[in-house]
Amino acid sequence: MPDSPAGPPAPPIHLAELLGREELGLRRIAGPDHADLLWVHTSEMADPYPYLLGGELLLTAGVQLTDADTYVARLVEAGAAALGFGVAPVHDTVPAALVEACDRHGMPLLEVPPQTPFAAIARAVWRLMAEARHRELRRVTRAQQALATAAARPDPVPAVLRQLAVQLEGRVALLTADGGVLHAAGGRPAPDVRTALARLARVVAPATPPAVSPGRKPNPSSATETRGGTHLFAYALGGGQGLALTLATPRRDFGDHTVAGIAVVLLSLLTAPHQGADAAGRSAALVRLLLGAAPQDVAPLLGGGDSWTVVHARRADGAPADRLNAGALGTALGSALSDVDRETVRVLLPGRHEAVTPQPGWTLGVSGPGPVAALPDAGTRAARALGHAEATRTPLVTHRPGIGGLAGLIPAEHAEAHARALLAPLTGPLAETLRCWLSLHGNWDRTAVALKVHRNTVRQRIARCAALLDMDLDDMDVRTELWFALRERRPAGGGGRIHGR
């Protein structure tokens, strides 16, 4: 399946769960009986390949179905998980050629009865995903609490490893730089599994780190492998000790990587050598956050005071960023608080940083200063500014609070009430698309770049906004009123103006 740049924040839904919804009347008539569904997509195109991300249950009535074999082969190539075929009004039965093609290509084929709307199937999938997400969040929360409790024991490292083995139901071990087992918990794996784990550990934490040279990629922070149905993982621990955490588990659930990541952070702190005052303060703040402290309570340990600025950045050459890139950018911006999430580097700047300067090789989005309690909103504003910077090919864009002007003459509570009423028909994604489109002066291509979607998706969303609002979006008066309303709709991440340089 192709990697999705922004997959859904929930575990996949097993096909059997959807088929178990008797009210839908779905029936598998071809292909394997198992598949993992990430989302639902409806298309009547002859070749929907360009519009698929992978993992979809694709629903169709076969309006343009002519060559069943080519159609199914393209779906498999795109990474679709399953195909749902609606019986009537185009076809009275599922075409035999489609059944044969799905069997031949290994694509699960579901028969959708005439009385079942495609929207009902999509709603059922999202409900199943919500239920699975809530179950997984509860599991991760319980695991976090258990690991934090273990870290407070007199023997914290072995205690954390034992608890991690319980949570993941597998074998865990802490390996030294020369491959020795420092601590271990869980059942003893087979010799070939131990050998594979030691090899993965050398990938993330080699005994002799290679010399740094220009253009050389740093070692990965994690590595995975599957051997005989056993899932193997290795994570490098911070602290410069050359330690690696290895895991061997019988399955790989959605939240396992998060649980392992919590353990890696705790073990890195517990095994780190003596730290300076600044690093010790950051470690203490992180531990307190893991134990449930409020951000405003740990902010003094980070030296940020009452004001913080968030920077989101991506490499200008489009290459993925890593922790080494993140640390270098943070240093250049004057902060040790940096992180990397997929291709985006996020830097937290303590204090007021009104004059963040462009950095060679980077595209930056800056939130502007704000209190520590508003960091999530600041992150949203920085992400928006980064999208705007990429869309306009500007090296740095800053999101600043809107200037009062005429809008300042209207009481804030009245303005917000008007905005809520005006934008009530729009969902969050539609409102965000409209906001981005207006900020980029109605440019389809730049909006698509900023939102990382296809330009046709932008057109469809804007057309939907116009229909729901019953407004002519080509009218400048309408655009002005909507822009004012979107600025005043606070829960969407805070209003403001975007400035680039």
Side-chain angles (χ1 to χ4, degrees):
M1 179 186 303
D3 293 333
S4 169
I13 299 303
H14 300 302
L15 180 61
E17 295 182 73
L18 183 63
L19 292 174
R21 292 293 179 107
E22 296 181 358
E23 71 276 10
L24 297 177
L26 303 178
R27 186 168 65 95
R28 184 181 63 85
I29 58 176
D33 60 359
H34 59 276
D36 290 335
L37 312 179
L38 293 177
W39 30 50
V40 177
H41 182 65
T42 301
S43 175
E44 296 301 338
M45 299 183 66
D47 180 16
Y49 176 95
Y51 301 94
L52 300 181
L53 294 174
E56 294 92 348
L57 167 60
L58 180 66
L59 301 176
T60 182
V63 174
Q64 298 192 58
L65 181 64
T66 56
D67 184 345
D69 190 77
T70 300
Y71 181 80
V72 175
R74 290 286 283 171
L75 296 185
V76 171
E77 184 180 355
L83 176 63
F85 194 90
V87 176
V90 182
H91 297 270
D92 294 332
T93 61
V94 180
L98 185 62
V99 175
E100 294 172 1
C102 286
D103 273 330
R104 186 162 49 252
H105 291 283
M107 168 68 67
L109 175 61
L110 312 183
E111 180 186 70
V112 181
Q115 67 273 17
T116 301
F118 285 176
I121 299 174
R123 182 171 56 192
V125 169
W126 287 115
R127 284 179 176 174
L128 288 170
M129 292 186 74
E131 294 169 2
R133 181 174 65 248
H134 292 155
R135 288 195 302 269
E136 203 62 21
L137 286 175
R138 287 195 297 269
R139 183 176 81 90
V140 170
T141 299
R142 288 194 299 267
Q144 175 180 335
Q145 294 170 345
L147 290 170
T149 300
R153 291 178 56 86
D155 55 342
V157 173
V160 168
L161 291 175
R162 287 194 297 270
Q163 190 55 240
L164 182 61
V166 170
Q167 296 296 329
L168 300 186
E169 300 180 3
R171 161 81 172 187
V172 300
L174 189 60
L175 304 187
T176 60
D178 58 3
V181 179
L182 192 61
H183 298 285
R188 187 172 180 81
D192 63 323
V193 172
R194 293 201 303 272
T195 301
L197 286 172
R199 184 174 63 254
L200 286 180
R202 289 194 296 272
V203 170
V204 301
T208 305
V212 177
S213 60
R216 184 191 177 278
K217 293 183 178 180
N219 296 317
S221 58
S222 64
T224 64
E225 184 180 329
T226 301
R227 181 172 291 271
T230 300
H231 299 278
L232 312 181
F233 307 84
Y235 300 86
L237 266 61
Q241 302 300 293
L243 301 179
L245 173 67
T246 62
L247 299 89
T249 61
R251 63 179 184 275
R252 184 178 184 179
D253 291 334
F254 183 78
D256 288 352
H257 184 70
T258 301
V259 174
I262 295 170
V264 167
V265 171
L266 290 172
L267 291 170
S268 296
L269 296 175
L270 294 170
T271 59
H274 177 72
Q275 308 172 80
D278 291 344
R282 291 194 296 272
S283 296
L286 180 56
V287 170
R288 293 188 188 183
L289 284 172
L290 289 171
L291 295 176
Q296 57 266 29
D297 295 335
V298 302
L301 293 172
L302 301 176
D306 297 328
S307 185
W308 298 78
T309 299
V310 178
V311 176
H312 280 211
R314 294 194 189 98
R315 290 178 52 169
D317 60 6
D322 52 38
R323 290 185 180 179
L324 186 61
N325 300 142
L329 179 61
T331 300
L333 295 175
S335 174
L337 303 174
S338 63
D339 181 33
V340 59
D341 180 19
R342 295 187 178 92
E343 72 275 17
T344 303
V345 172
R346 301 173 296 184
V347 181
L348 192 59
L349 304 180
R352 299 185 65 86
H353 286 258
E354 298 284 3
V356 176
T357 58
Q359 300 296 315
W362 291 94
T363 302
L364 306 180
V366 186
S367 70
V372 67
L375 281 178
D377 285 343
T380 299
R381 292 192 289 271
R384 287 178 172 176
L386 176 58
H388 194 281
E390 290 184 318
T392 57
R393 298 183 180 181
T394 305
L396 185 148
V397 166
T398 300
H399 190 295
R400 300 190 186 281
I403 303 172
L406 293 176
L409 301 177
I410 304 175
E413 61 275 12
H414 293 170
E416 186 170 357
H418 172 73
R420 286 181 178 276
L422 180 63
L423 301 172
L426 303 185
T427 62
L430 287 178
E432 177 61 15
T433 301
L434 180 59
R435 184 207 63 78
C436 185
W437 182 72
L438 290 173
S439 75
L440 293 167
H441 312 293
N443 188 292
W444 306 108
D445 292 322
R446 288 184 173 183
T447 305
V449 171
L451 296 177
K452 296 192 177 301
V453 298
H454 196 277
R455 69 193 306 272
N456 288 347
T457 300
V458 176
R459 287 184 177 275
Q460 292 165 5
R461 290 181 182 176
I462 296 301
R464 183 64 176 158
C465 289
L468 291 172
L469 296 172
D470 192 21
M471 290 181 172
D472 179 8
L473 298 186
D474 291 329
D475 188 319
M476 182 53 68
D477 289 338
V478 170
R479 291 193 183 195
T480 301
E481 182 173 4
L482 287 173
W483 179 246
F484 169 79
L486 287 161
R487 279 181 48 192
E488 297 301 321
R489 201 172 96 154
R490 303 301 180 187
R497 293 187 176 180
I498 292 179
H499 300 265
R501 66 166 180 259

